[in-house]
Amino acid sequence: EDVIKIKIKYKKATYILLTINIFFIFMIGCSNSNKEAGLVYGKENAPIEIINYTSFQCPDCVIMHERLHDTIKKYIENGSIKFIEKPIDIARFEFDEIIYKHMTEEQSLDFEKLLEIYTTQWIEFESEQEVIDFLNLSNDENSKNVNDLKVITKEKDKIELEEVPTMFMNSERISLDITVEEFESKIEEILNAN
């Protein structure tokens, strides 16, 4: 009888521990995927993390990206910045979702591809296929990017994002009209403080 009671207690304890482990594994997996949703460039442990909520077809997003591109690239390359581009699907910009969903893994990892995408958005496209062909995107959807769009949309709603572009540097919101000099000064200030 005592052996039976011990077996029952052992089974209950095992079940409880298993349930707790599954919960923590699920929570860790969720938090990592939410944080990394988007196009990620740079070293994981870089001292500066920049998150940019954007639309590929938004005129202000294009201007901001073109203005800051070379500076961001320089600091990505020297290991100082981890840059996360989080495309937001905005109804008035017809092809945002198509562009992001159809980027190949290789294109998603190429920071220069972002500049190409942004600088071509002044062109008027007639169809989704025309966009895919013009930007040399894949005809197949990239499942990671499709999933990322869902995560980013939830994230956008959670933080009550009101406009794009919205950029954060180490959680501090960056002004839309920041100059290259001011941007680089902020970066250097953070690097020198570390």
Side-chain angles (χ1 to χ4, degrees), residues 10-169:
Y10 178 76
K11 282 184 180 181
K12 284 182 180 178
T14 302
Y15 176 75
I16 290 169
L17 288 174
L18 183 62
T19 303
I20 290 170
N21 283 333
I22 290 170
F23 173 76
F24 279 109
I25 290 168
F26 176 76
M27 291 307 292
I28 289 168
C30 286
S31 66
N32 284 343
S33 65
N34 285 349
K35 186 170 183 152
E36 300 303 326
L39 303 170
V40 181
Y41 307 94
K43 289 174 31 179
E44 179 64 33
N45 62 346
I48 299 173
E49 179 179 81
I50 296 176
I51 298 175
N52 186 39
Y53 294 92
T54 189
S55 160
F56 292 129
Q57 296 180 286
C58 150
D60 288 335
C61 299
V62 172
I63 291 167
M64 187 174 198
H65 187 85
E66 287 177 335
R67 182 177 347 116
L68 301 178
H69 176 86
D70 291 342
T71 303
I72 293 170
K73 181 180 177 186
K74 175 175 85 172
Y75 286 98
I76 287 172
E77 288 176 350
N78 77 17
S80 299
I81 284 180
K82 176 181 174 186
F83 183 77
I84 306 170
E85 187 88 338
K86 294 188 176 266
I88 303 290
D89 184 32
I90 298 176
R92 67 187 168 118
F93 299 123
E94 184 178 2
F95 300 115
D96 271 351
E97 184 177 335
I98 298 305
I99 294 168
Y100 188 55
K101 283 182 175 180
H102 289 272
M103 289 177 77
T104 65
E105 278 304 308
E106 185 179 324
Q107 291 168 331
S108 295
L109 297 172
D110 181 2
F111 190 68
E112 288 302 310
K113 186 67 177 177
L114 285 181
L115 185 60
E116 177 190 340
I117 290 169
Y118 278 115
T119 56
T120 59
Q121 291 314 302
W122 303 107
I123 298 169
E124 300 241 354
F125 296 108
E126 299 290 324
S127 69
E128 292 178 7
Q129 191 60 50
E130 189 178 351
V131 173
I132 291 168
D133 293 343
F134 185 83
L135 292 172
N136 197 29
L137 302 173
S138 172
N139 282 315
D140 299 323
E141 290 186 349
N142 179 327
S143 60
K144 179 196 176 301
N145 291 2
V146 170
N147 190 53
D148 278 359
L149 273 176
K150 295 173 188 170
V151 172
I152 293 167
T153 299
K154 288 179 185 174
E155 193 176 308
K156 172 190 79 133
D157 295 340
K158 182 179 177 184
I159 66 170
E160 299 176 1
L161 190 72
E162 294 178 15
E163 64 182 355
V164 290
T166 298
M167 182 181 284
F168 296 95
M169 183 184 300

